[in-house]
Amino acid sequence: MKKRILSGVQSSGTPTLGNYLGAFKNWVDLQNEGVYDCLYCVVDLHAITVRRPPEELRRQTYEMYALLLAIGLDPKVNTLFVQSHVPAHAELSWILNCYTMYGELSRMTQFKDKSARHAGNVNAGLFTYPVLMAADILLYQAHLVPVGGDQKQHVELSRDVAIRFNGIYGEVFTLPEPYIPPVGGRIMSLQDPTRKMDKSDPNPSAKILLTESDDSILKKCKRAVTDSDSQVRYDPATKPGVSNLMAIYALATGKTIPEIENEFSGLGYGAFKPAVGQAVVALLSPARREYERLMADIGYLESVMRDGRDRAAAAAAATMEKVRNAIGFVSL
Ligand code: TYM
């Protein structure tokens, strides 16, 4: 049996270059290695922890799904599905709630951040969000979870919950490990390089969307905040803005950081920033064209979603049977 990989993305807005470089790019690379059985899901249950109009959620779920296809995930090779189409996620999430401690969830930094940002709607779902994420991962017996650095704490919690559950009932769950890229695990805002690039950032100049026009990508890279000395040198502590652009350029071109320092030695930001823009355009524009084509064919998207749902549901059912037996639910 191939080792399993599972990861997910919320259908809560258009994904950014941060999502792409921190997570999606690795999803495609791992698919291409051919040694893993990969499941990737659009997590719409997670997306409702923040209130949004029904039409917007529906549209964003189609869009996110189309984007995953457009960036090169092959639905024949991977299981690509929408979380709410497989009810076992919610079922296992309830069960795991009973094996997760209040104190553990209180320590989650994303909960602290999000509850401060959405102070008028600190619902229980926001608090138990990591338990649903643990359910996503454990349901498929995933070995590896490719994510950006901001999700590391959640993957570690999933592992702790699995260890606790297995400690009581025996080897029910595979213990998952995070897979975080050494460069690109945390792509920063173009306007405040001390904060991560976030799809929910209200400032459009801070982020590059995967659907952004070439023109707009070039402008945003040129306007990215850097420091006043104009040396292209990698030093995230004292030069966070330019170091972030260097990480982006490295991932977009396949060049190493020393190669980039050499390439722009003595040339300054005036040459470097437009080159970053061009590299990002070359990286994203083919996917954008494919995305537009796919969004014009909702019938196709739904047929692929159905296929993904059926494959995911079959894998989930095998785990749920083990879980129900282990806990002592009556099976008929
Ligand atoms: P989400 O939807 O916020 O982001 C999807 C993926 O993109 C990564 N990411 C980044 N990586 C580098 N730099 C950035 N600036 C950046 N911003 C986002 C995230 O780390 C993530 O890998 N809770 C998860 C979704 C989820 C999940 C799961 C992930 C639900 N269930 C099970 C893995 C396994 C989230 O909100 O990701």
Side-chain angles (χ1 to χ4, degrees):
M1 272 257 291
K2 282 182 173 176
K3 284 195 171 180
R4 282 256 172 85
I5 283 187
L6 177 121
S7 198
V9 56
Q10 288 194 63
S11 44
S12 58
T14 310
T16 68
L17 185 63
N19 296 120
Y20 182 78
L21 296 178
F24 303 168
K25 185 176 179 296
N26 296 317
W27 299 4
V28 176
D29 291 348
L30 289 162
Q31 149 192 287
N32 294 342
E33 280 183 27
V35 291
Y36 298 103
D37 176 19
C38 305
L39 298 101
Y40 299 118
C41 60
V42 176
V43 297
D44 51 349
L45 296 174
H46 279 106
I48 64 168
T49 50
V50 173
R51 202 73 68 229
R52 48 180 36 94
E55 273 319 313
E56 183 182 302
L57 176 63
R58 196 168 292 122
R59 180 175 46 79
Q60 289 182 338
T61 303
Y62 282 119
E63 286 175 356
M64 187 61 79
Y65 195 87
L67 268 168
L68 295 185
L69 296 173
I71 58 160
L73 289 174
D74 180 345
K76 294 200 182 69
V77 177
N78 307 287
T79 302
L80 302 179
F81 67 105
V82 176
Q83 185 189 35
S84 71
H85 291 168
V86 182
H89 289 251
E91 185 183 0
L92 184 59
S93 178
W94 168 257
I95 292 172
L96 296 180
N97 266 316
C98 304
Y99 300 84
T100 309
M101 297 299 135
Y102 180 86
E104 285 176 307
L105 293 176
S106 313
R107 285 194 290 277
M108 294 292 117
T109 52
Q110 190 164 307
F111 170 69
K112 290 186 214 164
D113 285 358
K114 276 208 178 170
S115 50
R117 263 195 282 151
H118 304 280
N121 183 23
V122 185
N123 58 69
L126 208 53
F127 188 63
T128 59
Y129 178 110
V131 185
L132 178 57
M133 185 162 155
D136 299 341
I137 296 169
L138 302 184
L139 195 49
Y140 299 99
Q141 308 286 354
H143 294 85
L144 219 54
V145 185
V147 284
D150 62 332
Q151 297 299 317
K152 182 166 183 257
Q153 197 185 29
H154 289 163
V155 180
E156 284 168 353
L157 177 77
S158 307
R159 188 181 168 89
D160 291 344
V161 172
I163 290 173
R164 183 171 302 133
F165 195 96
N166 287 355
I168 304 170
Y169 300 109
E171 297 304 301
V172 175
F173 295 123
T174 303
L175 301 185
E177 301 224 21
Y179 175 100
I180 297 168
V183 178
R186 194 169 166 81
I187 297 296
M188 310 309 273
S189 154
L190 298 183
Q191 291 301 312
D192 175 0
T194 61
R195 293 175 40 201
K196 74 164 184 176
M197 187 183 286
D198 190 341
K199 56 173 137 48
S200 59
D201 194 321
N203 178 0
S205 306
K207 54 191 179 182
I208 292 176
L209 305 181
L210 296 195
T211 52
E212 193 119 12
S213 73
D214 295 353
D215 224 32
S216 171
I217 294 175
L218 294 171
K219 277 198 196 114
K220 286 184 181 179
C221 288
K222 268 193 203 150
R223 275 198 248 112
V225 168
T226 42
D227 49 273
S228 52
D229 112 54
S230 76
Q231 257 196 340
V232 179
R233 183 167 53 80
Y234 191 76
D235 182 356
T238 63
K239 293 165 74 69
V242 79
S243 302
N244 187 42
L245 292 178
M246 289 175 80
I248 292 172
Y249 187 68
L251 290 164
T253 59
K255 294 178 184 167
T256 64
I257 296 290
E259 280 168 356
I260 298 168
E261 285 177 343
N262 253 333
E263 184 179 350
F264 294 97
S265 145
L267 293 179
Y269 299 162
F272 178 57
K273 287 183 179 180
V276 176
Q278 295 291 357
V280 175
V281 165
L283 184 73
L284 298 186
S285 70
R288 187 179 67 236
R289 282 194 291 276
E290 176 63 3
Y291 162 77
E292 282 159 8
R293 195 185 68 75
L294 288 164
M295 280 305 286
D297 194 350
I298 296 292
Y300 171 73
L301 288 180
E302 289 183 348
S303 76
V304 183
M305 275 182 186
R306 242 177 246 118
D307 183 49
R309 173 201 61 192
D310 293 346
R311 282 154 63 177
T319 300
M320 285 314 296
E321 193 181 326
K322 272 171 98 177
V323 170
R324 285 196 206 98
N325 280 336
I327 295 178
F329 292 147
V330 171
S331 69
L332 296 176

